[in-house]
Amino acid sequence: MPSTAPRLIRSARLLDAAEARIASEFTAPPPPQNALTTEALLALAHEYQPAAMIVTHTTPLRAADVAALPDCVKMVATVSVGLDHLDLAALHARGIAVSNTPDVLTDCNADLSMMLILAASRRAAEYFTLVKTGWTRPLGLSDMLGQRVTGKRLGIVGMGRIGQAVARRARGFDMDILYHNRSRLPPELEAGATYYATLEDMLPHCDILTLHAPAQSSGAPLIDARTLALLPRGAVLVNAARGKLVDEAALIDALRSGHLAGAGLDVYQHEPNPNPALVGLPNVFTTPHTGSATVETRTAMCMLALDNVAAFAAGQPLPSSVKA
């Protein structure tokens, strides 16, 4: 590449199509064989002197890390929607532009959420375990009964892009859509869903509750013992948003007591080492934070990150800039 091509480094190898684009449009060192630690990324930044860095959630940049970046770094593009791994205030204070990758993963996250809803309601984890470990006798009429999803009342917390996409899919199961959001949607986006101004008012009406909201600024869980108690007995909880939204100790108690029939979880308070007492429960269906994990979506995320770097290098507005 000509020396004028934008200089960048990345904390992890991107998908093949994105790596091919880097080779043709950017100046960059070879991709790392394994995801870099923050310390290794900082060392590479000082050695290579890039204008931009592409990172993922596995390589956080806290305030001290941002302070240690060389002055040449003017942009950080994260291959994620979430920003929990970045100290935005510190980055913006140094005049470093930040971008993320919204929109392109909406459908895959909504698909996964529906999978969690179905799997948790129909006891998929228990069925899978039974067949894999030795299904030795026919099940009786009353054995291992799950919950029908069709026609149930689905409560959605956070009716943004992903929440709305989940609602569209749920309508295919004739579900009654309820939602709680910071503000009510216009009628054309609400599409017949019932709005609740407070979470507490909505919860008693939810057969299934699915979370699609950001973590609270206070850091306190949105779903705790008090709010779980407001759900009808036998309800199902799904979380494909943020692990910090749920008090896991309270969730374990609700699942063990039978107040909740089951849970479908893609995110946890402690990743990648979730609480074994939680994931070991038979009525919990788990996936390892894989809401966007398809070839199509991860490729689109990588390409959007590169679009942002290219726009920044050309002095153009970023397609998905994260504002201060």
Side-chain angles (χ1 to χ4, degrees), residues 228-245:
L228 285 170
L230 295 174
L231 288 166
R233 185 171 181 83
V236 167
L237 173 70
V238 165
N239 187 11
R242 296 287 182 272
K244 294 178 180 178
L245 288 171

Side-chain angles (χ1 to χ4, degrees), residues 267-315:
V267 291
Y268 312 88
Q269 285 185 326
H270 304 289
E271 298 180 10
N273 298 294
N275 185 344
L278 174 62
V279 298
L281 291 173
N283 53 345
V284 175
F285 182 88
T286 59
T287 52
H289 203 150
T290 52
S292 63
T294 65
V295 173
E296 298 88 347
T297 292
R298 290 282 173 86
T299 298
M301 292 169 68
C302 292
M303 288 301 197
L304 180 53
L306 291 174
D307 288 346
N308 278 282
V309 174
F312 181 81

